[in-house]
Amino acid sequence: MNLPKQPLLVIDAASPQCFVGLWRDSEWLATATPESPALEGIFAGIDKILCDAKLSLADLGGFVHNEGPGSILGIRLSAMAIRTWKSLPVWRDMPVWSFGSLHWVAAAYQAEHGAAANVISEFRHGRWNLLTAGAREVVAVEDEVLASVPEPLLYYRQRKTWKPAPTHAIEYRPSLMEHPELLEAPGLLRPVAAPDVFVAEEAVFQKWTAERHRS
């Protein structure tokens, strides 16, 4: 992967606590994990790491964005920030890379344990995001599908849980801060024209009609 020599700004707002970092040559130049919600935390964290590294946005070589699955609000805010910067003439041609939450977890487990794994996180309506070992596509599945998914099955908790994970799943939450080298894992970063939000399935809303509500 041909990355620029200048630092990349990494934003991971897919979980309730966002993470921002300046990354270069598989190392962090500065990092921050703001306690405030993503709307304030992303920008406060970026201000802090630029100050700590004595750099400005003008010194960046590109942006890295966690597209999810995860907190839709946080991911949208991260994408919006990058899109806004890229709308300015000075950063219009700045490259952007995206990576998936579950792909990152799979890469971390492979590095730490030397084995491939299946990864899940909560989706919605009691369903699950599933990335099977060696696959590229995350799919939404029902509980009964997970019963037949072989071990190791990793559960990546990103938010308040609505139901327990399968009994054969292992909760696993690697630290992006502790593994900066894994951003160069083969196939993890994907160049994109603009950052976006990954959703395994788009929500389907039933049209409201007065007929349904008549007594």
Side-chain angles (χ1 to χ4, degrees):
M1 181 169 52
N2 188 21
L3 296 174
K5 295 297 183 183
Q6 303 97 316
L8 302 183
L9 174 60
V10 179
I11 308 176
D12 179 358
S15 297
Q17 184 175 39
C18 61
F19 169 89
V20 294
L22 292 171
W23 183 83
R24 183 178 63 196
D25 296 332
S26 296
E27 294 182 350
W28 296 119
L29 303 181
T31 63
T33 52
E35 295 293 337
S36 51
L39 180 58
E40 301 86 10
I42 290 174
F43 300 102
I46 291 171
D47 285 343
K48 181 181 186 304
I49 61 176
L50 289 173
C51 180
D52 289 347
K54 296 180 173 57
L55 297 173
S56 70
L57 284 172
D59 298 311
L60 298 180
F63 304 101
V64 177
H65 166 256
N66 184 345
E67 66 182 5
S71 167
I72 298 296
L73 176 59
I75 298 168
R76 287 195 189 281
L77 289 169
S78 170
M80 178 192 68
I82 296 172
R83 287 173 178 266
T84 300
W85 288 320
K86 281 184 61 64
S87 69
L88 302 175
V90 67
W91 293 304
R92 184 167 298 152
D93 297 324
M94 190 81 77
V96 180
W97 291 267
S98 288
F99 69 94
S101 297
L102 304 192
H103 298 85
W104 146 249
V105 172
Y109 189 85
Q110 178 76 48
E112 291 182 354
H113 299 275
N118 304 295
V119 188
I120 59 171
S121 67
E122 285 193 274
F123 182 38
R124 57 174 174 241
H125 308 306
R127 305 178 73 204
W128 302 89
N129 296 299
L130 170 64
L131 176 67
T132 55
R136 288 300 306 165
E137 182 179 1
V138 175
V139 296
V141 299
E142 309 289 346
D143 277 325
E144 53 267 26
V145 173
L146 297 187
S148 62
V149 175
E151 300 179 24
L153 177 62
L154 310 179
Y155 169 42
Y156 186 50
R157 185 195 298 267
Q158 292 178 294
R159 62 185 76 176
K160 180 179 179 180
T161 58
W162 300 105
K163 61 189 302 182
T167 55
H168 66 301
I170 303 168
E171 186 167 340
Y172 179 66
R173 188 169 180 79
S175 168
L176 189 60
M177 186 182 300
E178 294 177 3
H179 290 288
E181 76 284 355
L182 291 184
L183 286 176
E184 290 199 83
L188 182 65
L189 294 186
R190 175 174 52 87
V192 294
D196 210 338
V197 179
F198 172 83
V199 180
E201 288 181 355
E202 293 295 337
V204 177
F205 299 98
Q206 188 172 3
K207 185 177 180 180
W208 183 89
T209 62
E211 186 69 29
R212 294 176 54 217
H213 296 271
R214 289 177 181 169
S215 57

